[in-house]
Amino acid sequence: MIRVLLAEDQHVIRSALAALLGLEEDLEVVATVESGEAALAAALVHRPDVAVLDIDMPGRLDGLAAAAELRTRLPACRALMLTAYGKPGHLRRALGSGVAGYVLKTAPPDELVAAIRKVAAGERVLDPSLAVTAWDLADNPLTPREADVLRLAASGADATDIAARLHLAAGTVRNYLTVIVTKLNARNRTDAVRIATEAGWI
């Protein structure tokens, strides 16, 4: 029996996936949660073989961050990322963090079930539609600190707010934003947010 944890922030999708997986004789859904933090907590309690994680979840830990934490704290649990978008930046982060699989939500149900079985068996799985993308991934030009600054800017925070939250001077934040716009060859801060978001860098 393959023990599965399911993390998806949209209740309808989470319930549908749990029902779908519950139909399989060799799969047991041991927990369903709505966030990365909840996924980590539930995994430490239920010890699943495979954690199926949505990438875009609210809170401190998105699916990829939760997968990285799981790899450190519960190495026997293998992560299978599930996402609506094949963003190159997300794919690069996923491959770099050693997740075992990456599947799009548009995949047929039998492909998701097969992916869970393969991941549980020690294999790695990549959605076929992303194979070409995986060969031609652009490197993220942003440093972790620049990504933090841009992520906060994307949430609507101004330079003073960002400075307070990151314990920086407001002038330093403005310098970061100027460098970010230049690095991304963006027209302005808003355009930089768009470029980085579409690439999956923030």
Side-chain angles (χ1 to χ4, degrees), residues 124-148:
R124 293 187 79 178
V125 178
L126 177 64
D127 193 292
S129 67
L130 298 175
V132 174
T133 304
W135 288 106
D136 190 29
L137 291 173
D139 285 323
N140 181 354
L142 303 178
T143 66
R145 177 60 91 184
E146 289 166 350
D148 289 341

Side-chain angles (χ1 to χ4, degrees), residues 5 7-9 33-43 53-67 69-70:
L5 178 147
E8 160 64 56
D9 64 319
V33 296
E34 71 292 334
S35 70
E37 291 91 338
L40 182 58
L53 306 168
D54 181 20
I55 288 181
D56 295 310
M57 289 188 287
R60 183 179 60 85
L61 296 177
D62 65 5
L64 289 169
E69 286 282 334
L70 279 173

